[in-house]
Amino acid sequence: MCRKEQYEKELFTRPAKPYKVQCAITIQSAWKGYVVRKWYRKLRQTNPPKDPKLRQKFFLGKFEELTDRMLTMYNSDVDAFLRELDFDLQNSRKIMSTFNFQETDFANGHIRLDEEFWDNVSAKAFARIDEDTSDCPICMFKLITNKTLAVCSCSHVFHSQCLQTFEELSLNEQTLCPVCRSVYYSIQK
């Protein structure tokens, strides 16, 4: 054979075609296997197995997953919680310090506040009430305006009957607001 610069080379493409087909089949089968494994894994996560031991393990895992999800939803910043409590306590003390005591009825345990104070508290309370979304915090029914409402000195509003029942069932010596837990005085509106 003659080995010159312009030697005639023959191109062979026949063996490359089966190799390309084999590679395509390998890639397709790997992809189909991945899709089926993913589908089966999802099926195993949603459908419990029939075997009692595996079924118990399945539900135990589901329960742990649920509790972990619930724990991540809660804020565990205790310092921020205590700061918020201190802030709310200061605000409650400011409100209670603004009382203008005019009459005291010690026989019944009631302190009567002046009309101006109750007008201000009522205005604040009824400004917060939205007829569509406001509910009584005790009975969880709508605060209907044609029923008798009780306005507390802390500017929370309840049905009169609900607040009266709450006071009767309360174990505390002083009446505490069901919402803000501060000592209150109330009037009927």
Side-chain angles (χ1 to χ4, degrees), residues 85-151:
L85 280 178
D86 289 339
F87 178 74
D88 291 341
L89 185 63
Q90 286 176 347
N91 285 341
S92 295
R93 285 183 179 157
K94 285 179 187 176
I95 290 171
M96 294 304 283
S97 67
T98 60
F99 284 145
N100 183 9
F101 299 109
Q102 291 198 350
E103 291 182 34
T104 307
D105 185 6
F106 288 112
N108 295 328
H110 296 291
I111 296 176
R112 297 182 186 182
L113 304 171
D114 65 347
E115 280 298 317
E116 183 182 335
F117 173 79
W118 284 115
D119 291 341
N120 290 339
V121 169
S122 298
K124 282 183 191 176
F126 289 117
R128 283 194 321 228
I129 293 178
D130 181 17
E131 289 185 19
D132 296 333
T133 59
S134 292
D135 298 334
C136 174
I138 298 173
C139 68
M140 305 306 266
F141 285 108
K142 298 242 181 258
L143 286 171
I144 302 170
T145 54
N146 60 0
K147 283 192 174 182
T148 306
L149 298 177
V151 179

Side-chain angles (χ1 to χ4, degrees), residues 55-67:
R55 192 175 183 88
Q56 182 180 6
K57 185 178 177 183
F58 172 81
F59 284 115
L60 183 64
K62 284 290 182 185
F63 183 70
E64 287 175 357
E65 179 183 318
L66 181 68
T67 54

Side-chain angles (χ1 to χ4, degrees), residues 18-37:
Y19 177 72
K20 289 179 184 177
V21 169
Q22 184 62 34
C23 288
I25 291 172
T26 305
I27 292 170
Q28 287 174 349
S29 63
W31 176 254
K32 286 179 183 177
Y34 168 76
V35 169
V36 168
R37 281 190 300 276

